[in-house]
């Protein structure tokens, strides 16, 4: 092999190795940081891995929000019409958090099947339902009960 | 009547764009001067008609013409006049009209300021921009007409502008961002025109450079404004969330940064030509991708107005046509272009290549994290999100490497550099940076690797810049020498200083911040970060289109009162939408940030308290980068030597700069 070709081969191999390493690193970082979405039914059925950070969403059940009298701890139940999951959260709930509203919570499921949330999201639009939530309702067959009326039709 | 005239103006602009996008290109191909000459008047006419259409829409907003569906959906008679003005681009249709207007504005600017370009080049550049304009105007007219009427059921009053958008930051954020997005179309058009003409040379890079600089500066200002807005308006105290919408604007900016540096090499040394063209295509494609992501409704956020799949499909097809055709052209033409000159390992070329690699890799990782959930959703229906830790874990080390190479890149010379000279330059910089970093870590008290590393990198970048200044002025003496340096050099220094300032702001504000969410009743006091926050309860307050609970929070340092903050919880009456208005005391070295959560019983509130050290530096650094680019674009050599360069480009003069 002549020196020019040898050098080119070396360069190409170096680039391939670099790109390979970068892609491997990126994918492994991605694997560790994706938050899968689970519906309340799935969590109730024990499908959500215990201890991993997940996203869960549904409608906040009416009359389920309880505030601690001395701290900012709150518990509420999230439903997809079939099953419910209890969410525990310490902190300030978003402006549009309301009972009956569609929300998404991020956190870990504990041994008791309760979601210990570290983040609760409610979007900045009255008529908006997070796509995950409308999909969860669709799966549970309850979407039609929520359409057009409050809270929010999922167009 | 006036909205119909506006509609007509849009259609006429489309006709002119069709002329501008076809005839001059054919003319340039066949060498027909008459047809090439059509480009400039067509561009001017298009700009005039689109300005007219825009004024018509603005007028509809200002006089509360609720028979126009877009006005009825996004304005209200109680809205203050300046928000009526900004509501013009507050939602999908109007922001697209603004987009088209800015595109025609850039085209107009190119036709005015690049008069000395060779005729064919100008015709091709304007032609390509005309084609882009055709795409956007078709989109506007076919799928999202802002002038559509609600007749005969005209509503009595409008549904009001989304309260989140009723804010100063949002008056200026979209136009700035669009100036940047659309500005990259100029760099794109220059690249395509150069490919079409088969002439990728230093002259092309020099024409393209000031436009790219200005576009990049605007995009940077737009991103800074967006981040600042998120900080004070969302009430979370965060300034960047790695939200797909943010990434959509950040990716073209990063690639634009790579493009700027690559253009510099192409201009000065005549290498990296194909790479530069590819970057120009990629930067504009990412701008379009950003538009697709933000406007199509695949993402849901404040920005996603259009949940109409037809619109998403249109932008996606447009994106595919643009990317596909430009890459095909590149594949056909690029092999013809070959660089004649080489460079050694220790040269500025190599360092800028590393800069480009790092920026492209960073952009790719962000692209992966942004698109992965969407792709997976489309393919398998699985819903997931990629969290900020992914982006931080990949992006921050890359930026650290970038800053590390930056200092070397500033000092190293073109083509080849003696190792001994380079190490002689860098050794004192290295020592001083280490010393400064240790000093900073000592002054700040709590030890953190991130702070130490960033302090070192910031000092490394700044001191290398200073070292280069000393070196550049060693012959003439400092004062005289400084005076002789060109604006583009000062622009580079300012931008690099901006990176250091921004990096310090990011690390210090996230590492050293003190935050607490707690329940506070009137009279309650709490210690945080050495300050005492006293909550004095809320009072009722009324604004023009909202009612609010307004709290008073006093901040004490020992016994001295240092700030009184008034966070609000507003309820916008038309949309019945609650909003958090944070109370912020802004300072050069720290911000106090107080936001109200929800009311609890007995006048108590959930309260969010933050002390954010050096958070302003993030935006200050961002602005410094942008102004540095603007300064560089003012360099005389982009204007004065135009004639000489044209001759050079035409091969009339043998020697050029």
């Amino acid at each position: 092999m002549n020196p020019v070709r040898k050098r080119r081969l070396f360069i190409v191999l170096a680039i391939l190795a670099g790109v390979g390493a970068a892609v491997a690193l990126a994918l492994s970082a991605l694997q560790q940081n994706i938050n899968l979405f689970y519906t309340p039914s799935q969590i109730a059925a024990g499908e959500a891995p215990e201890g991993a950070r997940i996203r869960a969403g549904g409608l906040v059940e009416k009359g389920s929000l309880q505030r601690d009298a001395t701290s900012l701890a709150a518990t509420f139940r999230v439903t997809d019409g079939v099953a419910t999951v209890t969410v525990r959260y310490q902190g300030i709930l978003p402006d549009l958090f309301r009972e009956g509203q569609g929300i998404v919570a991020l956190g870990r499921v504990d041994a008791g099947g309760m979601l210990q949330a570290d983040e609760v999201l409610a979007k900045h639009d009255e008529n908006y339902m997070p796509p995950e939530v409308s999909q969860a309702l669709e799966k549970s067959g309850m979407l039609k009960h929520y359409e057009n009326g409050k809270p929010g039709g999922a167009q | 009547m006036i909205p119909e005239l506006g509609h007509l103006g849009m259609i006429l602009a489309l006709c002119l764009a069709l002329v501008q996008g076809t005839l001059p290109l054919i003319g340039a191909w066949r060498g027909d001067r008459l047809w090439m000459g059509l480009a400039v008047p067509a561009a001017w006419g298009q700009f005039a008609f689109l300005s007219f259409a825009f004024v018509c829409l603005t007028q509809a907003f200002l006089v509360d013409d609720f028979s126009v569906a877009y006005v009825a959906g996004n304005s209200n008679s109680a809205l203050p006049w300046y928000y009526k003005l900004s509501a013009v681009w507050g939602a999908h249709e109007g922001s697209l009209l603004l987009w088209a207007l800015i595109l025609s504005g850039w085209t107009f600017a190119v036709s005015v300021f690049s008069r000395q370009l060779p005729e064919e080049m100008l015709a091709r550049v304007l032609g390509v921009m005309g084609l882009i304009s055709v795409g956007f105007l078709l989109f506007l007219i076919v799928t999202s007409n802002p002038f559509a009427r609600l007749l005969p059921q005209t509503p009595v009053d409008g549904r009001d502008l989304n309260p989140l958008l009723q804010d100063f930051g949002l008056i200026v954020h979209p136009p700035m961002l669009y100036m940047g997005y659309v500005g990259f179309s100029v760099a794109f058009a220059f690249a395509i025109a150069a490919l079409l003409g088969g002439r990728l040379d230093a002259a092309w890079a020099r024409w393209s450079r000031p436009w790219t600089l200005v576009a990049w500066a605007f995009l940077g200002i737009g991103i800074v404004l967006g981040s600042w807005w998120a900080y004070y308006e969302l009430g979370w105290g965060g300034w960047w969330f790695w939200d797909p919408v943010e990434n959509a604007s950040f990716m073209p900016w990063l690639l634009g940064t790579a493009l700027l540096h690559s253009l510099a090499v192409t201009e000065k040394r005549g290498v990296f030509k194909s790479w530069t063209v590819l970057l120009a295509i990629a930067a504009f494609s990412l701008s379009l991708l950003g538009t697709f992501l933000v406007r199509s409704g695949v993402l849901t956020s404040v920005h996603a107005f259009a949940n109409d799949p037809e619109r998403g499909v249109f932008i996606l097809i447009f994106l595919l046509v643009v990317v596909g055709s430009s890459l095909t052209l590149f594949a056909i033409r690029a092999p013809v272009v070959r660089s004649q000159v080489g460079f050694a390992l220790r040269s500025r070329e190599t360092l800028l290549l590393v800069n480009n690699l790092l920026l492209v890799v960073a952009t790719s990782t962000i692209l992966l994290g942004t698109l992965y959930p969407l792709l997976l959703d489309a393919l398998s229906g699985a819903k997931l999100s990629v969290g900020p830790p992914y982006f931080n874990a990949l992006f921050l080390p890359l930026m650290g490497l970038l800053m590390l190479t930056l200092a070397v890149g500033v000092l190293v010379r073109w083509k080849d550099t003696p190792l001994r000279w380079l190490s002689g330059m860098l050794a004192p910089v290295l020592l001083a940076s280490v010393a400064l970093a240790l000093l900073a870590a000592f002054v700040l008290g709590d030890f953190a690797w991130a702070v130490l590393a960033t302090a070192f990198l910031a000092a490394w970048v700044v001191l290398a810049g200073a070292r280069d200044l000393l070196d550049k002025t060693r012959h003439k003496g400092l004062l005289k020498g400084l005076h002789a340096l060109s604006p583009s050099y000062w622009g580079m220094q300012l931008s690099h200083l901006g990176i250091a300032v921004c990096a310090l702001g990011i690390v210090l504000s996230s590492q050293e911040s003190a935050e607490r969410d707690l329940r506070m009743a009137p009279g309650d006091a709490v210690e945080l970060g050495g300050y005492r926050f006293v909550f004095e309860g809320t009072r009722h307050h009324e604004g023009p289109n909202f009612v609010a609970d307004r709290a008073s929070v006093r901040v004490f340092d020992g016994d001295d009162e240092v700030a009184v903050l008034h966070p609000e919880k507003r309820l916008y009456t038309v949309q019945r939408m609650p909003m958090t208005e944070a109370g912020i005391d802004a300072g050069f070295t720290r911000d106090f940030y107080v936001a109200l959560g929800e009311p609890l019983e007995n006048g108590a509130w959930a309260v969010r308290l933050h002390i954010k050290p050096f958070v302003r530096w993030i935006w200050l650094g961002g602005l410094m980068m942008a102004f540095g680019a603007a300064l560089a674009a003012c360099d005389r050599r982009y204007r004065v030597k135009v004639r000489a360069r044209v001759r050079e480009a035409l091969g009339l003069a043998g020697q050029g700069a």
Side-chain angles (χ1 to χ4, degrees):
Chain A
M1 210 186 283
N2 70 37
V4 176
R5 287 218 179 134
K6 211 170 185 176
R7 208 173 124 228
R8 261 187 212 154
L9 183 71
F10 176 72
I11 291 173
V12 168
L13 284 179
I15 290 175
L16 279 180
V19 169
V23 168
L25 275 176
L27 285 178
S28 79
L30 198 59
Q31 283 298 319
Q32 288 161 20
N33 289 300
I34 53 176
N35 312 124
L36 283 164
F37 180 84
Y38 291 91
T39 66
S41 298
Q42 285 172 314
I43 296 172
E47 283 176 42
E50 200 182 305
R53 195 161 187 264
I54 61 159
R55 285 159 76 90
L59 302 175
V60 181
E61 208 169 69
K62 292 236 163 75
S64 71
L65 175 68
Q66 284 177 334
R67 271 269 182 216
D68 193 285
T70 51
S71 72
L72 285 181
T75 52
F76 53 89
R77 285 196 302 278
V78 166
T79 176
D80 60 0
V82 173
T84 63
V85 59
T86 307
V87 181
R88 209 179 144 74
Y89 175 69
Q90 171 94 30
I92 292 178
L93 292 164
D95 283 345
L96 284 173
F97 181 92
R98 252 174 256 151
E99 293 182 343
Q101 186 89 17
I103 60 114
V104 170
L106 283 93
R108 294 163 209 281
V109 176
D110 64 12
M114 192 190 273
L115 184 75
Q116 303 285 348
D118 49 54
E119 205 176 338
V120 174
L121 306 170
K123 286 291 179 171
H124 276 279
D125 183 347
E126 285 272 317
N127 302 315
Y128 169 78
M129 188 178 304
E132 292 99 330
V133 176
S134 62
Q135 201 187 8
L137 291 177
E138 209 172 320
K139 263 192 211 162
S140 70
M142 300 301 280
L143 183 62
K144 54 187 178 294
H145 299 293
Y146 295 98
E147 258 172 8
N148 301 326
K150 286 273 163 184
Q155 302 94 348
Chain B
M1 181 64 192
I2 289 176
E4 276 68 33
L5 286 178
H7 194 181
L8 190 66
M10 278 192 336
I11 294 171
L12 288 174
L14 174 64
C15 297
L16 284 171
L18 275 170
V19 172
Q20 184 195 327
T22 49
L23 299 187
L25 285 176
I26 300 173
W29 177 48
R30 299 203 318 198
D32 186 330
R33 298 191 58 186
L34 193 67
W35 283 27
M36 283 193 270
L38 285 172
V40 172
W44 289 23
Q46 196 197 331
F47 181 54
F49 280 120
L50 280 178
S51 308
F52 175 72
F54 194 79
V55 169
C56 289
L57 188 61
T58 312
Q59 191 265 354
F61 268 93
L62 291 180
V63 302
D64 294 327
D65 185 351
F66 296 123
S67 68
V68 177
Y70 181 67
V71 180
N74 295 289
S75 183
N76 183 273
S77 50
L79 204 62
W81 70 268
Y82 40 89
Y83 291 142
K84 282 180 185 166
L85 192 67
S86 71
V88 175
W89 52 83
H92 174 77
E93 288 88 348
S95 63
L96 262 182
L97 180 59
L98 179 68
W99 179 292
L101 174 69
I102 289 177
L103 180 59
S104 70
W106 275 103
T107 316
F108 177 73
V110 170
S111 74
V112 170
F113 292 112
S114 298
R115 274 278 167 89
Q116 288 117 320
L117 281 182
E119 214 171 7
E120 291 149 43
M121 186 75 181
L122 183 61
R124 288 200 177 105
V125 171
L126 294 182
V128 172
M129 296 191 72
L131 285 177
I132 300 168
S133 187
V134 169
F136 269 95
L137 285 173
L138 267 180
F139 182 45
L140 190 60
I141 293 169
V142 175
T143 71
S144 359
N145 177 15
F147 296 104
R149 293 269 202 177
L150 284 174
L151 292 174
Q153 291 109 339
T154 303
V156 182
D157 210 334
R159 284 204 313 238
D160 207 359
L161 180 64
N162 184 338
L164 269 177
L165 307 183
Q166 295 185 24
D167 171 77
F168 171 76
L170 258 291
I171 296 179
V172 277
H173 162 71
M176 288 292 153
L177 207 58
Y178 285 8
M179 285 296 283
Y181 270 162
V182 183
F184 281 131
S185 71
V186 183
F188 172 78
F190 267 100
I192 296 294
L195 280 179
L196 283 174
R199 186 184 282 135
L200 286 172
D201 50 16
W204 156 71
R206 212 170 310 158
W207 291 324
S208 184
R209 237 179 129 182
W211 297 101
T212 314
L213 280 166
V214 174
W216 184 83
F218 273 116
L219 188 57
I221 294 176
I223 294 173
V224 165
L225 281 170
S227 157
W228 178 55
W229 169 82
Y231 171 74
Y232 69 73
E233 192 69 24
L234 293 181
W236 296 346
W239 46 270
W240 193 263
F241 302 97
W242 293 112
D243 186 88
V245 175
E246 292 169 327
N247 296 346
S249 65
F250 194 47
M251 290 186 290
W253 185 85
L254 279 175
L255 266 202
T257 317
L259 175 62
L260 285 181
H261 291 88
S262 174
L263 272 172
V265 186
T266 308
E267 185 201 334
K268 298 276 188 188
R269 302 285 309 151
V271 285
F272 298 177
K273 292 172 190 169
S274 333
W275 175 246
T276 308
V277 170
L278 206 55
L279 278 180
I281 294 173
F284 182 59
S285 304
L286 280 180
S287 294
L288 287 182
L289 180 73
T291 317
F292 167 70
L293 288 178
V294 173
R295 296 287 180 246
S296 63
V298 292
L299 304 174
T300 36
S301 77
V302 231
H303 299 76
F305 314 123
N307 285 322
D308 181 351
E310 191 184 310
R311 292 171 176 171
V313 170
F314 190 106
I315 307 185
L316 194 59
I317 291 175
F318 185 57
L319 179 69
L320 291 178
V321 168
V322 170
V323 177
S325 55
S326 47
L327 286 184
T328 309
L329 185 65
F330 178 77
I332 297 170
R333 288 296 196 153
V336 184
V337 188
R338 297 216 58 168
S339 307
Q340 292 89 2
V341 284
F343 54 89
L345 181 66
R346 283 186 304 277
S347 63
R348 187 171 278 181
E349 288 93 324
T350 311
L351 266 299
L352 286 175
L353 187 63
V354 174
N355 150 302
N356 268 237
L357 277 178
L358 288 172
L359 285 166
V360 169
V361 170
T363 312
S364 315
T365 55
I366 297 178
L367 189 65
L368 179 70
T370 310
L371 291 187
Y372 186 70
L374 298 176
L375 286 178
L376 213 62
D377 186 14
L379 295 178
S380 68
K383 296 277 183 194
L384 55 86
S385 69
V386 176
Y390 162 78
F391 294 102
N392 290 337
L394 288 174
F395 184 72
L396 298 181
L398 283 171
M399 288 303 107
L401 276 177
L402 188 68
M403 287 175 75
L404 209 58
T405 50
L406 191 161
V408 188
V410 168
L411 285 170
V412 82
R413 292 173 185 167
W414 295 111
K415 208 168 174 189
D416 198 5
T417 317
L419 183 61
R420 177 173 293 186
W421 179 83
L422 188 61
S423 48
M425 293 289 275
L426 283 171
V429 173
L430 181 67
L431 286 177
S433 309
V434 170
L436 274 177
L438 289 174
L439 186 71
F442 179 71
V443 168
L444 283 168
D446 334 322
F447 178 82
W449 277 111
V451 176
L452 186 70
T454 313
F456 166 73
L457 285 171
W460 172 246
V461 167
V462 174
L463 292 177
R467 188 82 186 85
D468 193 49
L469 271 179
L470 285 180
D471 185 53
K472 286 262 186 317
T473 56
R474 70 187 183 279
H475 296 306
K476 290 184 178 170
L478 192 59
L479 275 181
K480 220 174 153 194
L482 287 182
H483 202 69
L485 290 169
S486 66
S488 72
Y489 178 79
W490 282 116
M492 177 200 81
Q493 287 278 8
L494 183 61
S495 291
H496 288 167
L497 188 62
I499 295 180
V501 170
C502 187
L504 281 176
I506 289 171
V507 168
L508 289 175
S509 73
S510 47
Q511 289 284 324
E512 310 280 317
S513 79
E515 19 186 300
R516 244 179 110 178
D517 293 353
L518 75 170
R519 170 199 188 90
M520 288 187 103
D524 276 3
V526 64
E527 290 280 339
L528 182 70
Y531 295 93
R532 194 157 53 92
F533 289 76
V534 181
F535 181 71
E536 300 196 324
T538 56
R539 280 217 309 266
H540 187 72
H541 173 73
E542 281 192 19
N545 52 351
F546 61 87
V547 290
D549 287 311
R550 196 157 192 253
S552 296
V553 176
R554 289 178 191 278
V555 186
F556 293 92
D557 181 6
D559 288 332
D560 306 328
E561 184 178 295
V562 282
V564 188
L565 303 172
H566 297 288
E568 292 177 26
K569 181 64 86 180
R570 292 181 179 174
L571 182 71
Y572 282 82
T573 44
V574 178
Q575 299 194 347
R576 309 294 307 163
M577 181 150 150
M579 279 281 307
T580 304
E581 195 77 10
I584 300 173
D585 179 61
F588 188 64
T589 56
R590 57 104 196 90
D591 271 22
F592 294 124
Y593 184 106
V594 180
L596 290 178
E598 67 225 86
L600 307 169
E601 65 279 10
N602 303 330
W605 283 77
V607 181
R608 169 168 291 157
L609 304 175
H610 285 215
I611 299 173
K612 297 212 156 270
F614 297 95
V615 68
R616 303 271 141 189
W617 286 37
I618 299 169
W619 307 305
L620 180 69
L623 289 181
M624 284 165 78
M625 289 184 228
F627 286 119
L631 192 61
C634 295
D635 201 302
R636 284 179 71 231
R637 72 197 157 103
Y638 295 125
R639 287 170 277 126
V640 174
K641 289 192 202 150
V642 166
R643 283 187 185 286
R645 265 188 273 135
V646 172
R647 284 212 306 280
E648 173 198 340
L650 295 172
L652 297 179
Q655 290 176 329

